[in-house]
Amino acid sequence: MESSVFSFTPSPSDHPVENALRVAVQPNMSCRGWPADAGSKALENYTALEDAFVIAQLKQANAVIAGTTCMSELGFGLVNDTGARAVTEDLADAALITDYIGESRAAAAKAGIFGFKPSWGRMSRRGLAGLVPSMETWGITARRVSEIRQIMQMVCVFDDQDFSMRPEPLPDFDLSRSFQNQAPVIGVAQGYEQRLNPNEARAWNTALSALKTAGCEIRPVHLPDPGLFSLAHHIIAAVEASSSAGKYDGVRYGHRTDACADWNQMYLKTRGESFGTLIKTFLFQGAYFQFQQYEAFEQACRARGKLMDQTLTALADLDGIAGLTLGEHSDPPAAQTIEDIYEGFGFTLPANLTGLPAVHIPGLARHGRKDFGVHIMGKLFKDPDLLALARFLETVTSKAGAA
Amino acid sequence: MTYDAVIGLEIHVELNTPTKLFCDCPNRPGDPPNTHICPACLWLPGALPRLSRAVVEKAVTACLALNCTVQKYSAFDQKVYYYPDLPKGYQLSQHHRPLARNGFLNIDTETGELKRLRIHHIHLEEDVAKLVHETEGRTSVGLVDFNRAGTPLIEIVTEPDIRTPEEAVAFLKRLLTRIRYTGASECSLEKGSMRVDANISIRPKGSDVFNTKVEVKNMNSIQHVKDAVAYEIQRQTELMEKGTPIVLHTRLWDPEKQATLAMRGKFAGPCVPDPCVPAIEVDDAWLAGKKAALPEMPDLRQERFVTGFGLALDEARAISRERDVADFFEAAADAGAHPRKAANWIISQLVPALKELDLTLSRVPLTPERFATLIRLLDADEINGAAARTVLVKMLSQDQPPEALVDAHGFRQVSDTRALEAIAEKIMADHPSDVQDYRSGNPKVMGFFMGRAMKAAQGKANPKRMKEILIRKLSQ
């Protein structure tokens, strides 16, 4: 069983501390001396030269890196991803999953555990071989919020070599606010329920009841059309991916095709053989916007700025904006095309586009046998408060479960 | 029909910062291949670029020296294209928001008029790796040296204001002098720290249209620029007269064939804002500090040398061309050297000697104070010009004051009247017929007497005093 979850595990002698937090990572998260192929032939046989900043922080805090899980190619989507399974099968206390569009939260939702994406700029991206620099973060999945908080406390250290990090005092996740004396205020997009199908709406109403029972104040807020988030995400992410994957040329590492007549043929053949259909499609789309529709890319960037402003404004007096994590027919782990990806991650991608922290809470939005999950976006860089809210709701859920 | 040329230049200048643009690797591209590389400049998976503050500071200083307006905000873009010398599929450059805009330099045209040539903008960018083509053996291979990957460049893009090869040369000379003054770069086309591309088109005289331009690359000296631009103007003129359309493309200057040769279609890939490198925000107070710290530029210094030290315009221009030379001159004059004499010796003796030995003033033990002493010794006739030249060259390698070298080599001149009179009397006694010849009205014999006298004094006689004594004695 273990071998189908992990693509690489260290020898037992690499486990120096007993009862330490066990963290599973993906093979695009650099662990010195470990294979780091990012699930792609483009990085075939590549070995990481140094620890990623986050990995180094985890090791310094005596966490154990349990191994690398299987991942989708370059971490885009969840096909073949086994990160959440490492947690549910108790092979790790937490699993880190690269989050471009909602992968960590969707994986958690499918597995019935918690999933968290920090604010962009809260965790150093150095050593994370990513694809969409302006949106990617390390996501964390775990059975309990406490493990997520524990990891955040370990890794949220300022890295002066990652400009995206905010040079300010880092948060103390143990001293975040409590909701015991002041009820959380949760925003819900006006007309949200009308956008859901009947089963989704039923699950959502279950969640709303649970939130209200827990004492949450539900407040309708004006939010932009979710389709705009998806469109802007798609164009910008594809363009960034096209550039980011440019370095996978087979010249210095990774798969390289057999001898060719000239270097141009070598590039074409190497890259043609290196990437799977999903990534190729995404890179082609990105190149199309770069070379043929640059104006559309510029419009997407402008739209992104407005969407961020509008979302931040809506969040001003709230503790979070809630919705479902998954739609009834969305099945992120099975999404094999770009259309399926954007369909499956439609509820989670606004947090990536805006850089806001977001958490998936299991157990609150059930209908029938399906748990649609509650997805809450918090305020920028208020990650501890969002995790405190998640902890508060976790307590509610467990009480409800116990009852 | 006669034509006007329309010429714009794109000039890459390599900044001489200690490290590269986005990492801490040494900025020494000429060192043994692939010795200055790291995950960031190799763009290994997960590596992040970190913008060098030192690069931004030097670049801003160079922009100010070229009279540009430094922009409050500038940012990097990805210039997307594939080539083996580019390890990540795009070059980090500033396309949409360059570091500085709207600069200018004034030049003197061939007709002696002052002409202002405008600079459209200056942007920062990283250099690419160097390709080495190994052709020995059965299969030729292309090797990549990443030492140069990520070294810092500024690209200076002019407006198409240049009309002749001579103007292009004058502009480049003015530009490299000013940048060298800031200490931001050596600006050597020969050594590769400056590269010039020229965009050239022609149009009927009097017209204001911009016709299709041709880019010319691979000009490795100022003379190459002049020759290549002149050739290209001639080539396009001939095409125009034959009615052959001019096509947008790039050509390479071949200095051996003295011709430009077609290279490839002009690249026009996209430039996408980069999400990994921080934007540059220039603080007003910081910029004011940089402006205040800008060294006095050569044209102002030239003026001051004329008015303050009494140098002729040509002397002042030559002395102020390089900052280290101008600093040296000024310090020597302050140390008491006669300014014009010091300037002449620097231009005619010191600079050529340094060039011959491939040295710079910063690498020799000669100080301005010692140089001033040497000039004083010469001025006081303590040594003659030949001895002064020898001592000057020795001071480039020996850490000794000029007096010590003069005495050690017995260069001090004999100015003692009695000793010189004795020499004169002996020569006259040995050559009575020549004395008679002189006294009969043949002044040319003086050269013979001077030669004999200097030989008798083993070259140490003060020639001015010796001549005076000879004239007096021969006239008695």
Side-chain angles (χ1 to χ4, degrees), chain A residues 43 46 49-50 125-129 133-134 160-163 239-240 243 246-247 252-253 263 267 271 290-291 294 297, chain B residues 39 42-46 48-50 78 80 82-84 87-90 96 146 269-273 275-278:
Chain A
L43 282 98
Y46 182 71
L49 295 178
E50 53 194 6
R125 291 181 302 115
R126 189 153 55 94
L128 177 73
S134 76
D160 68 355
Q161 295 192 46
D162 178 357
F163 95 94
V239 165
E240 289 190 16
S243 285
K247 59 176 158 299
R252 291 150 297 143
Y253 52 81
W263 64 264
Y267 273 144
R271 288 169 65 80
Q290 285 179 336
F291 285 84
Y294 189 75
F297 170 71
Chain B
L42 283 176
W43 291 87
L44 296 183
L48 289 179
R50 190 170 56 144
Q78 303 169 346
V80 180
Y82 286 98
Y83 207 70
K88 59 187 178 300
Y90 56 85
H96 297 293
F146 285 100
C271 285
V272 186
C276 289
V277 184

Side-chain angles (χ1 to χ4, degrees), chain B residues 218-417:
Chain B
N218 197 41
M219 298 169 287
N220 298 324
S221 70
I222 298 265
Q223 186 62 41
H224 284 188
V225 175
K226 189 177 179 183
D227 294 345
V229 170
Y231 176 89
E232 189 56 25
I233 292 170
Q234 182 61 31
R235 190 187 72 84
Q236 290 189 28
T237 303
E238 287 169 11
L239 287 178
M240 193 80 101
E241 291 191 335
K242 279 192 278 186
T244 310
I246 288 160
V247 185
L248 179 74
H249 69 298
T250 299
R251 300 178 74 82
L252 290 181
W253 172 245
D254 185 330
E256 292 198 1
K257 292 182 178 150
Q258 287 284 301
T260 61
L261 307 172
M263 178 187 157
R264 60 176 185 201
K266 181 139 172 73
F267 168 75
C271 285
V272 186
D274 182 83
C276 289
V277 184
I280 299 169
E281 182 178 352
V282 175
D283 177 66
D284 291 342
W286 180 84
L287 185 61
K290 285 283 153 203
K291 281 181 184 167
L294 203 63
E296 184 185 27
M297 285 289 119
D299 32 7
L300 286 179
R301 206 165 199 193
Q302 178 183 308
E303 270 180 46
R304 191 164 57 78
F305 286 170
V306 171
T307 54
F309 290 100
L311 300 191
L313 186 60
D314 283 353
E315 293 166 347
R317 186 178 290 141
I319 276 288
S320 56
R321 194 168 290 141
E322 299 293 342
R323 186 178 170 189
D324 58 344
V325 174
D327 288 346
F328 187 90
F329 161 73
E330 202 157 358
D334 287 346
H338 184 281
R340 286 202 72 178
K341 206 161 260 185
N344 277 323
W345 268 75
I346 289 171
I347 297 162
S348 63
Q349 303 298 332
L350 178 56
V351 170
L354 288 167
K355 198 172 177 185
E356 192 178 328
L357 297 167
D358 197 21
L359 289 169
T360 58
L361 282 167
S362 62
R363 290 166 53 205
V364 296
L366 175 66
T367 62
E369 292 73 23
R370 286 177 178 174
F371 180 77
T373 304
L374 182 72
I375 297 298
R376 275 205 309 276
L377 290 172
L378 188 67
D379 223 13
D381 287 332
E382 302 253 339
I383 54 174
N384 61 29
R389 274 188 284 278
T390 307
V391 170
L392 180 63
V393 171
K394 287 189 183 298
M395 284 198 293
L396 297 180
S397 58
Q398 296 176 25
D399 188 8
Q400 289 192 57
E403 297 96 326
L405 289 166
V406 165
D407 291 335
H409 293 83
F411 285 147
R412 205 170 285 276
Q413 289 192 139
V414 178
S415 297
D416 175 58
T417 307

